[in-house]
PDB file of all heavy atoms in Angstrom:
ATOM      1  N   GLY A 142     -46.804  -1.471 132.378  1.00 98.00           N
ATOM      2  CA  GLY A 142     -46.601  -1.392 133.796  1.00 98.00           C
ATOM      3  C   GLY A 142     -46.225   0.019 134.308  1.00 98.00           C
ATOM      4  O   GLY A 142     -45.196   0.238 134.954  1.00 98.00           O
ATOM      5  N   SER A 143     -47.132   0.985 133.962  1.00 98.00           N
ATOM      6  CA  SER A 143     -46.748   2.342 134.183  1.00 98.00           C
ATOM      7  C   SER A 143     -47.643   3.114 135.105  1.00 98.00           C
ATOM      8  O   SER A 143     -47.772   4.390 135.051  1.00 98.00           O
ATOM      9  CB  SER A 143     -46.604   3.102 132.807  1.00 98.00           C
ATOM     10  OG  SER A 143     -47.746   2.877 132.071  1.00 98.00           O
ATOM     11  N   THR A 144     -48.349   2.443 136.001  1.00 98.00           N
ATOM     12  CA  THR A 144     -49.226   3.120 136.973  1.00 98.00           C
ATOM     13  C   THR A 144     -48.433   3.716 138.139  1.00 98.00           C
ATOM     14  O   THR A 144     -48.985   4.468 138.930  1.00 98.00           O
ATOM     15  CB  THR A 144     -50.317   2.222 137.503  1.00 98.00           C
ATOM     16  OG1 THR A 144     -49.747   1.082 138.184  1.00 98.00           O
ATOM     17  CG2 THR A 144     -51.241   1.713 136.397  1.00 98.00           C
ATOM     18  N   GLN A 145     -47.171   3.304 138.244  1.00 96.00           N
ATOM     19  CA  GLN A 145     -46.330   3.789 139.353  1.00 96.00           C
ATOM     20  C   GLN A 145     -44.894   3.588 139.003  1.00 96.00           C
ATOM     21  O   GLN A 145     -44.579   3.039 137.999  1.00 96.00           O
ATOM     22  CB  GLN A 145     -46.682   3.007 140.642  1.00 96.00           C
ATOM     23  CG  GLN A 145     -46.379   1.496 140.559  1.00 96.00           C
ATOM     24  CD  GLN A 145     -46.811   0.739 141.796  1.00 96.00           C
ATOM     25  OE1 GLN A 145     -47.857   0.945 142.335  1.00 96.00           O
ATOM     26  NE2 GLN A 145     -45.867  -0.131 142.208  1.00 96.00           N
ATOM     27  N   GLY A 146     -43.984   4.035 139.929  1.00 95.00           N
ATOM     28  CA  GLY A 146     -42.574   3.701 139.828  1.00 95.00           C
ATOM     29  C   GLY A 146     -41.895   4.203 138.560  1.00 95.00           C
ATOM     30  O   GLY A 146     -42.220   5.317 138.070  1.00 95.00           O
ATOM     31  N   ILE A 147     -40.932   3.435 138.095  1.00 97.00           N
ATOM     32  CA  ILE A 147     -40.125   3.808 136.951  1.00 97.00           C
ATOM     33  C   ILE A 147     -40.997   3.975 135.717  1.00 97.00           C
ATOM     34  O   ILE A 147     -40.846   4.944 134.909  1.00 97.00           O
ATOM     35  CB  ILE A 147     -39.036   2.714 136.664  1.00 97.00           C
ATOM     36  CG1 ILE A 147     -38.025   2.712 137.847  1.00 97.00           C
ATOM     37  CG2 ILE A 147     -38.338   3.001 135.358  1.00 97.00           C
ATOM     38  CD1 ILE A 147     -37.027   1.592 137.826  1.00 97.00           C
ATOM     39  N   ASN A 165     -50.337   1.850 131.340  1.00 98.00           N
ATOM     40  CA  ASN A 165     -50.929   0.515 131.517  1.00 98.00           C
ATOM     41  C   ASN A 165     -50.616  -0.062 132.920  1.00 98.00           C
ATOM     42  O   ASN A 165     -49.616   0.148 133.553  1.00 98.00           O
ATOM     43  CB  ASN A 165     -50.276  -0.482 130.465  1.00 98.00           C
ATOM     44  CG  ASN A 165     -50.326  -1.900 130.820  1.00 98.00           C
ATOM     45  OD1 ASN A 165     -49.295  -2.498 131.185  1.00 98.00           O
ATOM     46  ND2 ASN A 165     -51.493  -2.476 130.733  1.00 98.00           N
ATOM     47  N   GLY A 166     -51.707  -0.775 133.413  1.00 98.00           N
ATOM     48  CA  GLY A 166     -51.583  -1.517 134.644  1.00 98.00           C
ATOM     49  C   GLY A 166     -52.743  -2.510 134.577  1.00 98.00           C
ATOM     50  O   GLY A 166     -53.526  -2.492 133.631  1.00 98.00           O
ATOM     51  N   ARG A 167     -52.863  -3.367 135.608  1.00 98.00           N
ATOM     52  CA  ARG A 167     -53.939  -4.395 135.556  1.00 98.00           C
ATOM     53  C   ARG A 167     -55.278  -3.814 136.035  1.00 98.00           C
ATOM     54  O   ARG A 167     -56.306  -4.202 135.544  1.00 98.00           O
ATOM     55  CB  ARG A 167     -53.564  -5.523 136.489  1.00 98.00           C
ATOM     56  CG  ARG A 167     -52.456  -6.394 135.992  1.00 98.00           C
ATOM     57  CD  ARG A 167     -51.859  -7.222 137.065  1.00 98.00           C
ATOM     58  NE  ARG A 167     -51.223  -6.345 138.067  1.00 98.00           N
ATOM     59  CZ  ARG A 167     -50.524  -6.776 139.136  1.00 98.00           C
ATOM     60  NH1 ARG A 167     -50.371  -8.072 139.299  1.00 98.00           N
ATOM     61  NH2 ARG A 167     -49.982  -5.918 139.938  1.00 98.00           N
ATOM     62  N   LYS A 171     -56.754   2.037 139.138  1.00 98.00           N
ATOM     63  CA  LYS A 171     -55.373   2.505 139.328  1.00 98.00           C
ATOM     64  C   LYS A 171     -54.785   3.109 138.059  1.00 98.00           C
ATOM     65  O   LYS A 171     -54.056   4.094 138.055  1.00 98.00           O
ATOM     66  CB  LYS A 171     -54.543   1.311 139.811  1.00 98.00           C
ATOM     67  CG  LYS A 171     -53.360   1.646 140.603  1.00 98.00           C
ATOM     68  CD  LYS A 171     -52.708   0.353 141.163  1.00 98.00           C
ATOM     69  CE  LYS A 171     -51.217   0.551 141.366  1.00 98.00           C
ATOM     70  NZ  LYS A 171     -50.491  -0.677 141.671  1.00 98.00           N
ATOM     71  N   ALA A 193     -54.933  -3.637 131.363  1.00 98.00           N
ATOM     72  CA  ALA A 193     -54.852  -4.936 130.821  1.00 98.00           C
ATOM     73  C   ALA A 193     -53.741  -5.711 131.496  1.00 98.00           C
ATOM     74  O   ALA A 193     -52.694  -5.141 131.679  1.00 98.00           O
ATOM     75  CB  ALA A 193     -54.559  -4.866 129.296  1.00 98.00           C
ATOM     76  N   ASP A 194     -54.041  -6.974 131.908  1.00 98.00           N
ATOM     77  CA  ASP A 194     -53.016  -7.775 132.492  1.00 98.00           C
ATOM     78  C   ASP A 194     -52.177  -8.432 131.373  1.00 98.00           C
ATOM     79  O   ASP A 194     -52.682  -9.365 130.638  1.00 98.00           O
ATOM     80  CB  ASP A 194     -53.709  -8.908 133.349  1.00 98.00           C
ATOM     81  CG  ASP A 194     -52.646  -9.760 134.041  1.00 98.00           C
ATOM     82  OD1 ASP A 194     -51.491  -9.817 133.570  1.00 98.00           O
ATOM     83  OD2 ASP A 194     -53.010 -10.432 134.986  1.00 98.00           O
ATOM     84  N   LEU A 195     -51.016  -7.962 131.133  1.00 98.00           N
ATOM     85  CA  LEU A 195     -50.212  -8.358 129.964  1.00 98.00           C
ATOM     86  C   LEU A 195     -49.579  -9.733 130.159  1.00 98.00           C
ATOM     87  O   LEU A 195     -48.960 -10.225 129.227  1.00 98.00           O
ATOM     88  CB  LEU A 195     -49.159  -7.260 129.666  1.00 98.00           C
ATOM     89  CG  LEU A 195     -49.787  -5.892 129.385  1.00 98.00           C
ATOM     90  CD1 LEU A 195     -48.644  -4.907 129.029  1.00 98.00           C
ATOM     91  CD2 LEU A 195     -50.840  -5.944 128.301  1.00 98.00           C
ATOM     92  N   ASN A 217     -41.435  -2.043 130.145  1.00 98.00           N
ATOM     93  CA  ASN A 217     -41.041  -1.681 131.542  1.00 98.00           C
ATOM     94  C   ASN A 217     -41.512  -2.723 132.559  1.00 98.00           C
ATOM     95  O   ASN A 217     -40.844  -2.936 133.588  1.00 98.00           O
ATOM     96  CB  ASN A 217     -41.520  -0.313 131.885  1.00 98.00           C
ATOM     97  CG  ASN A 217     -41.391  -0.023 133.374  1.00 98.00           C
ATOM     98  OD1 ASN A 217     -40.315   0.243 133.874  1.00 98.00           O
ATOM     99  ND2 ASN A 217     -42.485  -0.090 134.121  1.00 98.00           N
ATOM    100  N   LEU A 218     -42.653  -3.307 132.247  1.00 98.00           N
ATOM    101  CA  LEU A 218     -43.324  -4.184 133.247  1.00 98.00           C
ATOM    102  C   LEU A 218     -42.338  -5.283 133.712  1.00 98.00           C
ATOM    103  O   LEU A 218     -41.648  -5.954 132.977  1.00 98.00           O
ATOM    104  CB  LEU A 218     -44.473  -4.900 132.544  1.00 98.00           C
ATOM    105  CG  LEU A 218     -45.125  -6.097 133.255  1.00 98.00           C
ATOM    106  CD1 LEU A 218     -45.626  -5.751 134.605  1.00 98.00           C
ATOM    107  CD2 LEU A 218     -46.261  -6.705 132.401  1.00 98.00           C
ATOM    108  N   GLY A 219     -42.236  -5.412 135.036  1.00 98.00           N
ATOM    109  CA  GLY A 219     -41.410  -6.497 135.584  1.00 98.00           C
ATOM    110  C   GLY A 219     -41.748  -6.684 137.058  1.00 98.00           C
ATOM    111  O   GLY A 219     -42.110  -5.742 137.793  1.00 98.00           O
ATOM    112  N   PHE A 221     -40.606  -8.431 140.864  1.00 92.00           N
ATOM    113  CA  PHE A 221     -39.396  -8.903 141.548  1.00 92.00           C
ATOM    114  C   PHE A 221     -39.776  -9.226 143.012  1.00 92.00           C
ATOM    115  O   PHE A 221     -40.781  -8.739 143.561  1.00 92.00           O
ATOM    116  CB  PHE A 221     -38.308  -7.902 141.500  1.00 92.00           C
ATOM    117  CG  PHE A 221     -38.689  -6.501 141.876  1.00 92.00           C
ATOM    118  CD1 PHE A 221     -38.513  -6.051 143.218  1.00 92.00           C
ATOM    119  CD2 PHE A 221     -39.171  -5.607 140.987  1.00 92.00           C
ATOM    120  CE1 PHE A 221     -38.878  -4.748 143.541  1.00 92.00           C
ATOM    121  CE2 PHE A 221     -39.549  -4.346 141.263  1.00 92.00           C
ATOM    122  CZ  PHE A 221     -39.344  -3.886 142.568  1.00 92.00           C
ATOM    123  N   ILE A 267     -36.555  -2.573 129.941  1.00 99.00           N
ATOM    124  CA  ILE A 267     -35.966  -2.113 131.180  1.00 99.00           C
ATOM    125  C   ILE A 267     -35.375  -3.292 131.888  1.00 99.00           C
ATOM    126  O   ILE A 267     -36.075  -4.124 132.469  1.00 99.00           O
ATOM    127  CB  ILE A 267     -36.994  -1.322 132.067  1.00 99.00           C
ATOM    128  CG1 ILE A 267     -37.636  -0.206 131.292  1.00 99.00           C
ATOM    129  CG2 ILE A 267     -36.254  -0.801 133.283  1.00 99.00           C
ATOM    130  CD1 ILE A 267     -36.713   0.808 130.659  1.00 99.00           C
ATOM    131  N   ALA A 268     -34.100  -3.447 131.802  1.00 98.00           N
ATOM    132  CA  ALA A 268     -33.341  -4.507 132.481  1.00 98.00           C
ATOM    133  C   ALA A 268     -32.878  -3.998 133.853  1.00 98.00           C
ATOM    134  O   ALA A 268     -33.464  -3.016 134.401  1.00 98.00           O
ATOM    135  CB  ALA A 268     -32.203  -4.973 131.620  1.00 98.00           C
ATOM    136  N   SER A 269     -31.923  -4.629 134.383  1.00 97.00           N
ATOM    137  CA  SER A 269     -31.526  -4.294 135.777  1.00 97.00           C
ATOM    138  C   SER A 269     -30.091  -4.661 135.945  1.00 97.00           C
ATOM    139  O   SER A 269     -29.514  -5.532 135.241  1.00 97.00           O
ATOM    140  CB  SER A 269     -32.402  -5.114 136.692  1.00 97.00           C
ATOM    141  OG  SER A 269     -31.834  -5.266 137.999  1.00 97.00           O
ATOM    142  N   TYR A 282     -35.454 -13.676 139.253  1.00 98.00           N
ATOM    143  CA  TYR A 282     -35.562 -12.359 138.702  1.00 98.00           C
ATOM    144  C   TYR A 282     -34.332 -12.003 137.852  1.00 98.00           C
ATOM    145  O   TYR A 282     -34.457 -11.552 136.731  1.00 98.00           O
ATOM    146  CB  TYR A 282     -35.694 -11.369 139.869  1.00 98.00           C
ATOM    147  CG  TYR A 282     -35.662  -9.869 139.470  1.00 98.00           C
ATOM    148  CD1 TYR A 282     -36.674  -9.310 138.758  1.00 98.00           C
ATOM    149  CD2 TYR A 282     -34.530  -9.143 139.748  1.00 98.00           C
ATOM    150  CE1 TYR A 282     -36.653  -7.993 138.340  1.00 98.00           C
ATOM    151  CE2 TYR A 282     -34.446  -7.786 139.401  1.00 98.00           C
ATOM    152  CZ  TYR A 282     -35.530  -7.192 138.696  1.00 98.00           C
ATOM    153  OH  TYR A 282     -35.432  -5.899 138.323  1.00 98.00           O
ATOM    154  N   LYS A 286     -33.855 -10.900 133.692  1.00 98.00           N
ATOM    155  CA  LYS A 286     -33.288  -9.624 133.204  1.00 98.00           C
ATOM    156  C   LYS A 286     -32.073  -9.935 132.258  1.00 98.00           C
ATOM    157  O   LYS A 286     -31.824  -9.176 131.325  1.00 98.00           O
ATOM    158  CB  LYS A 286     -32.904  -8.766 134.341  1.00 98.00           C
ATOM    159  CG  LYS A 286     -34.074  -8.257 135.168  1.00 98.00           C
ATOM    160  CD  LYS A 286     -35.022  -7.399 134.318  1.00 98.00           C
ATOM    161  CE  LYS A 286     -36.244  -6.908 135.021  1.00 98.00           C
ATOM    162  NZ  LYS A 286     -37.118  -6.040 134.182  1.00 98.00           N
ATOM    163  N   ALA A 312     -31.177  -0.554 134.590  1.00 98.00           N
ATOM    164  CA  ALA A 312     -31.469   0.340 135.708  1.00 98.00           C
ATOM    165  C   ALA A 312     -30.839  -0.241 137.004  1.00 98.00           C
ATOM    166  O   ALA A 312     -30.838  -1.414 137.188  1.00 98.00           O
ATOM    167  CB  ALA A 312     -32.987   0.438 135.902  1.00 98.00           C
ATOM    168  N   GLY A 313     -30.285   0.605 137.799  1.00 95.00           N
ATOM    169  CA  GLY A 313     -29.763   0.227 139.044  1.00 95.00           C
ATOM    170  C   GLY A 313     -30.755   0.374 140.171  1.00 95.00           C
ATOM    171  O   GLY A 313     -31.960   0.632 139.885  1.00 95.00           O
ATOM    172  N   THR A 315     -33.331   1.560 142.473  1.00 94.00           N
ATOM    173  CA  THR A 315     -34.110   2.822 142.274  1.00 94.00           C
ATOM    174  C   THR A 315     -35.134   3.013 143.399  1.00 94.00           C
ATOM    175  O   THR A 315     -35.631   1.975 143.921  1.00 94.00           O
ATOM    176  CB  THR A 315     -34.797   2.735 140.890  1.00 94.00           C
ATOM    177  OG1 THR A 315     -33.830   2.471 139.908  1.00 94.00           O
ATOM    178  CG2 THR A 315     -35.514   4.032 140.519  1.00 94.00           C
ATOM    179  N   THR A 317     -38.318   3.330 144.394  1.00 92.00           N
ATOM    180  CA  THR A 317     -39.685   3.162 144.051  1.00 92.00           C
ATOM    181  C   THR A 317     -40.430   2.502 145.215  1.00 92.00           C
ATOM    182  O   THR A 317     -39.797   1.947 146.104  1.00 92.00           O
ATOM    183  CB  THR A 317     -39.904   2.244 142.834  1.00 92.00           C
ATOM    184  OG1 THR A 317     -39.239   0.969 143.162  1.00 92.00           O
ATOM    185  CG2 THR A 317     -39.162   2.784 141.543  1.00 92.00           C
ATOM    186  N   VAL A 320     -39.476  -1.072 145.768  1.00 83.00           N
ATOM    187  CA  VAL A 320     -38.140  -1.240 146.346  1.00 83.00           C
ATOM    188  C   VAL A 320     -38.144  -0.903 147.865  1.00 83.00           C
ATOM    189  O   VAL A 320     -37.379  -1.488 148.604  1.00 83.00           O
ATOM    190  CB  VAL A 320     -37.110  -0.376 145.591  1.00 83.00           C
ATOM    191  CG1 VAL A 320     -35.843  -0.133 146.359  1.00 83.00           C
ATOM    192  CG2 VAL A 320     -36.771  -1.058 144.256  1.00 83.00           C
TER     193      VAL A 320
HETATM  194  N1  LIG B 679     -37.203  -0.505 141.268  1.00 94.23           N
HETATM  195  C1  LIG B 679     -35.947  -0.782 141.026  1.00 94.23           C
HETATM  196  O1  LIG B 679     -35.018  -0.559 141.900  1.00 94.23           O
HETATM  197  C2  LIG B 679     -35.574  -1.419 139.782  1.00 94.23           C
HETATM  198  C3  LIG B 679     -34.164  -1.582 139.547  1.00 94.23           C
HETATM  199  C4  LIG B 679     -33.831  -2.125 138.278  1.00 94.23           C
HETATM  200  C5  LIG B 679     -34.786  -2.469 137.356  1.00 94.23           C
HETATM  201  N2  LIG B 679     -36.105  -2.287 137.640  1.00 94.23           N
HETATM  202  C6  LIG B 679     -37.056  -2.656 136.692  1.00 94.23           C
HETATM  203  O2  LIG B 679     -37.855  -1.493 136.341  1.00 94.23           O
HETATM  204  C7  LIG B 679     -39.187  -1.929 135.995  1.00 94.23           C
HETATM  205  C8  LIG B 679     -40.189  -1.160 136.818  1.00 94.23           C
HETATM  206  O3  LIG B 679     -39.937  -1.382 138.190  1.00 94.23           O
HETATM  207  P1  LIG B 679     -40.713  -0.615 139.352  1.00 94.23           P
HETATM  208  O4  LIG B 679     -39.962  -0.890 140.620  1.00 94.23           O
HETATM  209  O5  LIG B 679     -40.962   0.766 138.907  1.00 94.23           O
HETATM  210  O6  LIG B 679     -42.104  -1.424 139.401  1.00 94.23           O
HETATM  211  P2  LIG B 679     -43.331  -1.346 140.306  1.00 94.23           P
HETATM  212  O7  LIG B 679     -43.286  -0.108 141.172  1.00 94.23           O
HETATM  213  O8  LIG B 679     -43.404  -2.642 141.029  1.00 94.23           O
HETATM  214  O9  LIG B 679     -44.511  -1.193 139.376  1.00 94.23           O
HETATM  215  C9  LIG B 679     -44.875  -2.299 138.513  1.00 94.23           C
HETATM  216  C10 LIG B 679     -45.945  -1.780 137.538  1.00 94.23           C
HETATM  217  O10 LIG B 679     -46.332  -2.882 136.730  1.00 94.23           O
HETATM  218  C11 LIG B 679     -47.703  -2.959 136.712  1.00 94.23           C
HETATM  219  N3  LIG B 679     -48.033  -4.439 136.555  1.00 94.23           N
HETATM  220  C12 LIG B 679     -47.663  -5.443 137.333  1.00 94.23           C
HETATM  221  N4  LIG B 679     -48.046  -6.609 136.822  1.00 94.23           N
HETATM  222  C13 LIG B 679     -48.684  -6.305 135.601  1.00 94.23           C
HETATM  223  C14 LIG B 679     -49.262  -7.063 134.548  1.00 94.23           C
HETATM  224  N5  LIG B 679     -49.323  -8.389 134.653  1.00 94.23           N
HETATM  225  N6  LIG B 679     -49.790  -6.439 133.531  1.00 94.23           N
HETATM  226  C15 LIG B 679     -49.733  -5.097 133.398  1.00 94.23           C
HETATM  227  N7  LIG B 679     -49.158  -4.288 134.363  1.00 94.23           N
HETATM  228  C16 LIG B 679     -48.641  -4.910 135.433  1.00 94.23           C
HETATM  229  C17 LIG B 679     -48.211  -2.402 137.991  1.00 94.23           C
HETATM  230  O11 LIG B 679     -49.468  -1.856 137.907  1.00 94.23           O
HETATM  231  P3  LIG B 679     -50.779  -2.518 138.600  1.00 94.23           P
HETATM  232  O12 LIG B 679     -50.327  -2.886 139.977  1.00 94.23           O
HETATM  233  O13 LIG B 679     -51.741  -1.440 138.497  1.00 94.23           O
HETATM  234  O14 LIG B 679     -51.143  -3.691 137.789  1.00 94.23           O
HETATM  235  C18 LIG B 679     -47.171  -1.229 138.125  1.00 94.23           C
HETATM  236  O15 LIG B 679     -47.600  -0.121 137.365  1.00 94.23           O
HETATM  237  C19 LIG B 679     -39.241  -3.443 136.209  1.00 94.23           C
HETATM  238  O16 LIG B 679     -39.008  -4.095 135.032  1.00 94.23           O
HETATM  239  C20 LIG B 679     -38.079  -3.709 137.181  1.00 94.23           C
HETATM  240  O17 LIG B 679     -37.613  -5.004 137.049  1.00 94.23           O
HETATM  241  C21 LIG B 679     -36.537  -1.793 138.840  1.00 94.23           C
END
Side-chain angles (χ1 to χ4, degrees):
S143 48
T144 60
Q145 62 184 46
I147 294 171
N165 157 254
R167 288 161 297 184
K171 206 174 152 190
D194 183 341
L195 301 183
N217 167 76
L218 166 59
F221 50 92
I267 305 304
S269 161
Y282 171 73
K286 293 298 177 179
T315 305
T317 59
V320 161

